[in-house]
Amino acid sequence: MSMEQEPKQAGSEFEVGLDAADKSVASFARDDRSIDHILRGILRRNPTIIPAMVLVFSVICFGIIAPNFMSPGVLSLVLKQVTVTGVVAIAQTLIILTAGIDLSVGAIMVLSSMIMGRLAVDFGIPPFFAVTISLFVGALMGWVNGVLVTIVKLPPFIVTLGTLSVFTALLLWYSGSQSIRGADIREMAPSLLFFGHSLRFGGFVLTYGGLALIGLAILIWYLLNHTAWGRHVHAIGDDPDAAMLSGIKINRTLISVYALAGLICGFAGWVAAGRVGSISPIGFTDINLASITAVVIGGTSLFGGRGSILGSVLGAMIVGVFNTGLSLAGVDDYWQMFAAGNLVLIAVALDQWLRRATK
C-alpha cells in the first residue's frame, strides 16, 4: 500500500462507517399535514369562518323553532338591537388586539352622549358643534387610558376599571342623574336622533345606525389590514418585544389605539341617542360585558394579535339572534344568560385550541 492511497482509504472507511449510522438525525422534519393541523391553520388564518357558520346555523335553528323568527320585522329588530353593541365592539376589538381590555367603553359612550345632549338642548349650542365636542371628549378619555397604560405602565384591566368609576362619577355629576327627554331633543336638536331614522325595503327596515355600523366596520377593517398602523397593532398584540425590536413605536401606537377606541365610543353615544330616542345616564349599563362577549364570540383572541372587525360584528349579531330567538321561543331571561355564557366559554376554548396549532 502506497503512502498516496492512505487518505483515500481512511475516507472510505469513514464513509463505510456512516452507512451503518442512523441518518434520520440529519433529515429535515416534515410538516404536519394531518387534517386536524390543516383545519386549525385555516381557522386560525380566517377567524370569521366560525362566527359566520354559527350565525347562519343559529338563524336556521331559530327559524325552525320559532316560525315568525324569519320574518323581515324580527330580523330588522335584531339588526336594530345590535347596532350600538356592534359599534362599541369595534372599539373593544382594537383594544383586545393589543392584548389589552377596556372596561370603560360604556362610561365613555354614555358620558359623550350626555355631553352632546346637554350642550345642544340645555346650552343651545348648534348640534354640529355639540357632536364635535362630544367626539373630542370621547377621544380624550381614550387617550387618558392609553397614557396610563403606556407611560405610567399600569395594566389595562386596572386602568380601565379605575377610569370606569371616574367617568361614571363625572357622568352622574354632569347630568345631575337626570335624563334628557326625547321630546326636548326633537324640539331643540333633532339631528342628534339622526341615526334612529330608517330605510324600508319591503318589510325589512334598516336604520341609519345600522348603515353607520357597516361603514365603520369597513373603515376600521381597511385600517387594520391595509395600513402600516394596522400591522403594528397586530404585531404589538402578538409579541410586543419582537415589535419593539423591529422598530415599532409601541407607546405611540398604543395611545393612538386607545384614543381611536374612545372616539368610536363617543360616536356610539350619538348612535345610541338615535336608537333610544333620549339620553339617560343609566342607559346601556351592560354594554361593557356585551361588547367583550361579541368580540370573544367573534373570534378575536383575548391574548391579542389575532382577530377581525367583521368577526366582532358577527359576534354581536349572534348574541342578538340568540336573545331574540330564545325570547320568541318563550325561554326565560336567566336561560338566555346561560346560553350567552356558554357561547363565551366555547369561544375561549376554541381560541386555545387554535393557538396550540402553531406550537
Side-chain angles (χ1 to χ4, degrees):
M1 181 179 297
S2 66
M3 294 296 290
E4 295 177 354
Q5 292 176 333
E6 286 182 354
K8 184 177 181 180
Q9 286 182 340
S12 299
E13 291 175 357
F14 175 73
E15 292 175 355
V16 170
L18 285 179
D19 290 339
D22 183 6
K23 296 183 175 60
S24 60
V25 176
S27 63
F28 291 98
R30 299 184 60 184
D31 293 337
D32 186 355
R33 296 297 181 185
S34 65
I35 296 177
D36 176 73
H37 185 83
I38 295 173
L39 178 60
R40 291 187 191 195
I42 293 174
L43 294 178
R44 185 176 173 81
R45 290 190 296 272
N46 303 277
T48 58
I49 290 179
I50 292 180
M53 293 174 62
V54 172
L55 179 62
V56 173
F57 180 74
S58 57
V59 168
I60 294 175
C61 286
F62 285 118
I64 297 173
I65 296 173
N68 58 341
F69 179 82
M70 298 296 287
S71 65
V74 173
L75 294 178
S76 300
L77 178 62
V78 172
L79 290 176
K80 186 177 180 181
Q81 289 177 340
V82 305
T83 298
V84 178
T85 302
V87 173
V88 178
I90 290 175
Q92 191 70 264
T93 304
L94 292 174
I95 303 297
I96 292 181
L97 277 176
T98 65
I101 195 166
D102 194 339
L103 302 178
S104 66
V105 287
I108 295 175
M109 183 192 82
V110 181
L111 179 54
S112 299
S113 181
M114 184 59 69
I115 290 173
M116 175 185 68
R118 287 209 65 190
L119 288 178
V121 175
D122 295 344
F123 299 100
I125 294 178
F128 173 79
F129 294 107
V131 171
T132 302
I133 293 172
S134 70
L135 294 178
F136 173 78
V137 172
L140 179 63
M141 286 186 279
W143 178 84
V144 170
N145 283 336
V147 168
L148 292 174
V149 169
T150 57
I151 306 301
V152 188
K153 304 295 183 185
L154 297 177
F157 181 87
I158 301 301
V159 168
T160 55
L161 182 63
T163 54
L164 165 65
S165 299
V166 172
F167 297 154
T168 301
L170 291 175
L171 167 66
L172 296 175
W173 165 76
Y174 180 72
S175 66
S177 301
Q178 298 295 318
S179 301
I180 301 176
R181 298 187 309 161
D184 295 334
I185 298 176
R186 284 190 290 274
E187 179 182 355
M188 301 293 294
S191 59
L192 300 188
L193 306 180
F194 170 77
F195 290 108
H197 300 302
S198 58
L199 299 172
R200 292 184 177 274
F201 305 93
F204 189 81
V205 179
L206 180 63
T207 64
Y208 290 169
L211 292 174
L213 170 62
I214 296 172
L216 180 65
I218 294 174
L219 173 63
I220 302 301
W221 168 84
Y222 178 83
L223 291 177
L224 285 175
N225 294 280
H226 296 280
T227 66
W229 178 83
R231 288 189 289 274
H232 293 175
V233 171
H234 282 96
I236 291 172
D238 191 51
D239 191 337
D241 294 332
M244 182 179 64
L245 292 174
S246 63
I248 295 175
K249 298 184 182 304
I250 293 181
N251 287 354
R252 190 169 68 182
T253 303
L254 281 177
I255 290 175
S256 69
V257 168
Y258 279 91
L260 178 58
L263 176 64
I264 294 173
C265 291
F267 178 70
W270 187 12
V271 175
R275 163 75 177 83
V276 179
S278 61
I279 300 175
S280 170
I282 57 173
F284 295 94
T285 54
D286 61 343
I287 195 68
N288 289 333
L289 182 59
S291 66
I292 296 172
T293 300
V295 173
V296 173
I297 293 176
T300 297
S301 173
L302 285 173
F303 301 96
R306 189 180 64 83
S308 72
I309 294 299
L310 177 58
S312 298
V313 175
L314 292 176
M317 294 180 68
I318 290 172
V319 176
V321 166
F322 264 75
N323 290 338
T324 304
L326 292 175
S327 296
L328 290 176
V331 178
D332 294 325
D333 292 344
Y334 47 83
W335 288 118
Q336 297 180 29
M337 295 173 60
F338 180 84
N342 278 283
L343 281 175
V344 172
L345 293 175
I346 293 172
V348 174
L350 182 61
D351 176 59
Q352 289 295 303
W353 179 67
L354 293 176
R355 291 182 72 85
R356 287 195 294 269
T358 57
K359 292 184 178 179

